[in-house]
Amino acid sequence: MTRSGAAADHVGYFHEAVYYDTDDELLAVLVPFLSGGVDEKEPTVVSLGPEKASLVRRALPAGVLGGVTFMTGGSVYARPAAAIRAYRELLAGYVASGAAQIRIVGEIPRPSFGATWHWWARYESAINHAYDEFPLWSLCAYDSRITPSAVLADVARTHPRSLHADGSHRPSSAYAVPSSFLASWPPVPPDVLQTGPPLITLVDPTASRARGAVSLVDPGLPADEVDELVVAVSEVVTNALRHGLPPVRVCYWAGPDRIVVSVTDGGTGPRDPFAGLVPSRDSATGGLGLWITHQSCNYVAFSRDESGFTMRLTAGNPL
Amino acid sequence: MRAAGAPVARPFGAGRHVCWAYADRAEFVAVARRFFAEGRAAGGALRLVGGGLPDIDGIRCSSFPDPAAELSTWAAATEAALADGYTGLWVVGDATPLASPAFAAYEHQIDRFIARHPLFGLCAYDRRVVDPAALADLACLHPTHNVPGVPFRLHAEEGTGHLAISGELDSTGTAALARALDRAAPAVVDGELVVEAGSLDFVDHRSLLQLASYARDRGATAVLRTPLPAAARLVELLRVPGIRVEAS
């Protein structure tokens, strides 16, 4: 079995960005892409928000529409580590069923271009590695009209190439391999809550004590979200105590709609550039705990400065 | 505390199993007196066991039963106390010289008996003598203890005697959990190793992996009965064979 289309001679993941200014421009790229997949009997998946999905449904010929699987983009793109897990399971299933290639078009929802963009940029970079074991050809759509320029710059750095309405495939000169992009860790802007003093600061607490402090600052978030944050705080403090350097300082802030917890230790943070995004079976290095942390928070930010390594965890609304 | 204050109302119900690490002889005697006073008030028969202990409130000290017959001895003594019209048997034992992994295994065996019979045991250990790690391993096999830094308790569920885990399971207790499971050697029934975790306050992924691994090594699936939503979510995330979570 061979792959079809532009990725025919490619091994592994063929990752393309699509920049569009109008719906017509988007459809000019997507319709041939999806039709080609259905024609070749390749698993062909659309993972867009409801409006764009409906646009695509209306534009596809009836014979193509029936061969396309529509996933609800919003839930897939709730958290990067969860998206990687869901897609990897989907891809593995298709390959097990004999697929020579899988085609997917996806779009990260617009709210992710705000305060939480950093971990989505890490997602876009990490998947070059995380999906590379699969014969996947995917298009990541970005609406140039609403996407901030800093986000577009990251898109160019994380997508090896782009596909255009005229059918051309253009390499990205700004592309950086994941190990390089993910190791750079640009400064992450603080949450606005962090302009005030923390409600609680703990130094070298046990994981148990650090967990207990979460409920003390909870403004009344849904119990599941608080529960997930407790799991994340436990994992991150455990990692800091085991793999970081003292002192381990844990600070808690809360606003009406969110809890922010920062965990700082004197070390340099995880060495694995894919830390947190790709599941690790190796509990000894803290990789599994970091991955669970990424599955359990609405935002996780890393930063590193002369004083050490900080992970910031957010439950509730991180925007 | 198991069945605290209820032994008179439930003379044939569960007893109580307490581990008490004492700092000196005076503390031991004070704690033993308190325990006996409660037992006397509850209408229980009182026994003091250990080596070279003074009489406490008129109760003579006897030596520990033969280790091989320990469980059956206390079962018979409990039955005899009930036959004599007592509501139960209250035993204070200074087990300091017995502290060992083998005795830890016995601690769980007697705990299972206590969970279903009116035997009240205060297991005292001299913290100046017993190695802190060994003490922690003994303490965690009691539903109640006074040893700091022991995050979880592996014990028998009151009434049923089923395996139960209470407290917090996190990375500080993962190795101790493995040892406690080895010592308790819980029964596998129909391929399942059921853990009653209704009083578990936290569980992390390491402990879930540890439970799964323990169960798999015995050809079983661990069934963790807990209301903690995180437990089910983590098991779903980890996708490891050998464990499932039942909401309780």
Side-chain angles (χ1 to χ4, degrees):
Chain A
M1 286 195 300
T2 54
R3 300 174 69 166
S4 67
D9 297 325
H10 190 82
V11 176
Y13 183 23
F14 196 76
H15 187 196
E16 289 193 298
V18 175
Y19 307 99
Y20 63 95
D21 284 319
T22 64
D23 289 352
D24 286 346
E25 196 177 356
L26 177 66
L27 292 173
V29 176
L30 297 197
V31 171
F33 174 79
L34 298 171
S35 302
V38 173
D39 287 349
E40 296 291 339
K41 300 193 170 18
E42 295 171 353
T44 302
V45 178
V46 171
S47 190
L48 300 171
E51 282 177 30
K52 295 282 165 52
S54 149
L55 180 77
V56 169
R57 276 181 210 276
R58 290 196 303 272
L60 287 178
V64 173
L65 186 58
V68 174
T69 301
F70 284 81
M71 294 170 65
T72 50
S75 59
V76 173
Y77 293 112
R79 292 169 180 170
I84 288 175
R85 175 173 185 256
Y87 275 129
R88 281 179 55 89
E89 290 185 355
L90 180 78
L91 295 167
Y94 284 136
V95 168
S97 308
Q101 175 163 276
I102 301 105
R103 299 192 188 201
I104 299 177
V105 54
E107 186 168 46
I108 293 173
R110 184 177 179 178
S112 304
F113 297 161
T116 65
W117 170 249
H118 181 62
W119 77 342
W120 285 107
R122 295 184 70 230
Y123 167 84
E124 285 283 31
S125 181
I127 61 175
N128 289 296
H129 165 72
Y131 301 161
D132 200 38
E133 68 187 87
F134 303 106
L136 171 65
W137 179 9
S138 87
L139 306 182
C140 304
Y142 286 90
D143 186 336
S144 309
R145 296 165 296 188
I146 58 162
T147 309
S149 58
V151 170
L152 288 173
D154 279 338
V155 175
R157 295 178 69 208
T158 54
H159 292 73
R161 60 192 78 77
S162 52
L163 174 57
H164 299 264
D166 62 4
S168 61
H169 302 268
R170 300 179 199 157
S172 170
S173 58
Y175 178 68
V177 295
S179 55
S180 154
F181 180 89
L182 294 170
S184 64
W185 293 6
V188 180
D191 188 294
V192 66
L193 291 175
Q194 294 178 287
T195 56
L199 297 173
I200 296 177
T201 299
L202 302 176
V203 179
D204 291 334
T206 60
S208 177
R209 184 145 179 252
R211 291 194 294 269
V214 172
S215 60
L216 301 179
V217 302
D218 174 22
L221 299 184
D224 277 1
E225 298 212 13
V226 177
D227 190 58
E228 288 188 311
L229 181 65
V230 167
V231 168
V233 166
S234 187
E235 293 295 347
V236 173
V237 170
T238 297
N239 275 351
L241 293 169
R242 286 189 163 195
H243 306 295
L245 293 173
V248 174
R249 180 180 295 269
V250 190
C251 300
Y252 302 76
W253 292 266
D257 64 346
R258 67 189 181 281
I259 305 171
V260 172
V261 180
S262 75
V263 181
T264 302
D265 74 77
T268 53
R271 268 173 294 188
D272 176 5
F274 300 97
L277 291 171
V278 178
S280 159
R281 284 285 158 219
D282 187 0
S283 196
T285 62
L288 191 51
L290 261 182
W291 181 71
I292 287 167
T293 299
H294 278 66
Q295 300 277 0
S296 304
C297 295
N298 284 340
Y299 189 44
V300 178
F302 293 7
S303 57
R304 194 184 266 167
D305 62 22
E306 63 284 350
S307 69
F309 172 72
T310 299
M311 284 190 72
R312 189 175 87 214
L313 315 173
T314 306
N317 177 12
L319 302 179
Chain B
M1 298 273 270
R2 166 175 295 158
V8 178
R10 297 173 53 205
F12 304 105
R16 193 190 310 162
H17 191 204
V18 181
C19 172
W20 193 275
Y22 63 87
D24 51 34
R25 174 62 65 86
E27 183 188 351
F28 169 75
V29 170
V31 168
R33 275 205 172 114
R34 215 158 53 220
F35 193 77
F36 282 144
E38 194 183 341
R40 191 176 285 118
L46 313 181
R47 294 278 292 275
L48 175 65
V49 287
L53 296 175
D55 293 1
I56 296 179
D57 292 348
I59 300 153
R60 290 298 283 274
C61 177
S62 56
S63 54
F64 267 94
D66 172 24
E70 191 126 16
L71 186 59
S72 55
T73 301
W74 290 122
T78 305
E79 206 171 304
L82 294 174
D84 288 345
Y86 293 102
T87 57
L89 178 62
W90 294 64
V91 180
V92 172
D94 182 0
T96 305
L98 302 177
S100 67
F103 195 71
Y106 159 75
E107 285 278 28
H108 182 70
Q109 297 306 311
I110 196 74
D111 191 55
R112 284 167 53 184
F113 180 82
I114 288 172
R116 289 169 292 133
H117 300 88
L119 174 62
F120 298 76
L122 178 78
C123 308
Y125 294 94
D126 187 338
R127 66 168 85 237
R128 297 166 301 187
V129 175
V130 182
D131 168 68
L135 185 57
D137 281 358
L138 288 159
C140 80
L141 292 167
H142 294 75
T144 309
H145 64 77
N146 73 330
V147 178
V150 176
F152 72 89
R153 279 122 32 226
L154 187 151
H155 55 96
E157 185 186 50
E158 182 180 325
T160 66
H162 293 160
L163 182 72
I165 301 182
S166 308
E168 296 189 309
L169 285 174
D170 70 8
S171 71
T172 59
T174 315
L177 175 63
R179 290 192 297 274
L181 285 167
D182 276 339
R183 284 158 195 176
V188 172
V189 179
D190 297 334
E192 291 188 342
L193 199 161
V194 176
V195 180
E196 301 293 347
S199 298
L200 190 63
D201 299 316
F202 181 80
V203 61
D204 77 343
H205 76 272
R206 293 170 194 81
S207 308
L208 293 169
L209 293 175
Q210 184 81 62
L211 279 171
S213 161
Y214 181 85
R216 278 200 313 273
D217 286 350
R218 280 144 196 85
T221 296
V223 180
L224 191 67
R225 290 191 176 144
T226 169
L228 289 175
R233 208 170 52 80
L234 286 173
V235 164
E236 209 276 318
L237 273 178
L238 295 167
R239 300 260 166 94
V240 287
I243 188 164
R244 67 185 164 81
V245 171
E246 279 181 7
S248 69

